[in-house]
Amino acid sequence: MTTALITGSTAGIGAAFARRLAAEGQDLVLVARDTGRLREQATELHDRHGVEVEVLPADLSLDEGIEAVAGRLGDRKNPVDLLINNAGFGNKGRYLDVSTADELRMLKVHCEAVLRLTSAAAGAMRERGRGGVVNVASVAAFVPRGTYGASKAWVVQFTQGAARDLAGSGVRLMALCPGFVRTEFHQRAGMGTDNIPGWLWLDADKLVAAALADLARGRTVSIPDPRYKALMGLVKVTPRGLLGGISSRTGRKYGPR
């Protein structure tokens, strides 16, 4: 048996990872803020798939939450073989419309927590000579679009650099960069989604299957859908000045209302 730890496990991409990994027979450590939802999820996955499921309530915007999860990842007696850093959120509004406190909270969850949890997991994994880390970023990492995109760009750059440094150690790291996924993400942020074209939406379960296949192939960045791969290919050849204007207009059209 191997064990996977998933942050933000009770909804969206995190829940899809939990379903997939449990179906494959992996034991789980589920991390989220809502203890009740965690326990319901743990019971369902245990009863359906017969795996052991541990719940770890933690708020990754707080030091004590990060420390609790890092401590579990560093437990050598009960090792974690796969870390899914999925916890995250969006803020509604443009720069200066969002409070500095909320922006800093986002950076705490998207950057500091990812750094500290990846380090805790990878250190223990390197000692054993095996393990994997998936840091959930976004295609927003590749366009100049506010604090959210900037924080996800950091996740991509950090993950790629750490993957190079750990090459040959048996520890694999990958940044997962999805586009729009039908989850609770936009609802929690108070963002309208009615204006987003149907073809831009991704299915969370299919996304997770593609992501795990990319991790097995040793990729350090996964854009798990041909539509978004094509769009990101266009982004690479678009001048940055023009791209900034396009991303700003697109954000107003398809972003929060």
Side-chain angles (χ1 to χ4, degrees), residues 61-255:
S61 69
L62 303 174
D63 280 332
E64 52 264 38
I66 298 174
E67 289 165 4
V69 181
R72 178 62 184 86
L73 290 166
D75 185 347
R76 269 57 174 178
K77 293 182 180 179
N78 299 288
V80 170
D81 304 280
L82 176 64
L83 166 63
I84 310 293
N85 269 320
N86 168 72
F89 63 94
N91 286 321
K92 182 179 181 179
R94 301 182 188 180
Y95 175 61
L96 295 184
D97 293 336
V98 179
S99 72
T100 300
D102 285 342
E103 297 281 40
L104 289 172
R105 180 168 164 263
M106 176 180 286
L107 294 175
K108 185 88 169 181
V109 175
H110 290 185
C111 300
E112 182 180 341
V114 167
L115 169 63
R116 292 169 64 180
L117 299 187
T118 299
S119 297
M125 291 172 182
R126 184 170 62 176
E127 291 176 7
R128 300 193 302 273
R130 67 183 187 280
V133 177
V134 176
N135 291 327
V136 179
S138 168
V139 293
F142 305 112
V143 296
R145 184 62 188 162
T147 304
Y148 181 84
S151 69
K152 294 303 187 179
W154 182 90
V155 171
V156 173
Q157 292 293 318
F158 162 69
T159 303
Q160 288 183 297
R164 284 192 292 269
D165 288 345
L166 290 173
S169 69
V171 183
R172 292 173 291 176
L173 288 88
M174 185 182 80
L176 172 58
C177 301
F180 290 109
V181 185
R182 295 197 182 278
T183 69
E184 297 177 9
F185 178 91
H186 296 89
Q187 181 182 357
R188 287 181 174 181
M191 300 177 183
T193 58
D194 292 343
N195 57 342
I196 300 173
W199 67 270
L200 283 174
W201 288 104
L202 303 178
D203 176 79
D205 292 307
K206 292 179 181 178
L207 182 152
V208 164
L212 291 173
D214 281 347
L215 181 67
R217 296 185 186 104
R219 293 181 177 170
T220 58
V221 176
S222 171
I223 302 174
D225 185 86
R227 291 164 289 180
Y228 281 98
K229 286 178 182 176
L231 287 171
M232 292 308 103
L234 291 174
V235 164
K236 288 181 180 179
V237 299
T238 303
R240 297 295 289 180
L242 177 60
L243 183 61
I246 293 172
S247 67
S248 180
R249 291 192 297 274
T250 302
R252 288 195 293 272
K253 186 175 182 181
Y254 299 138

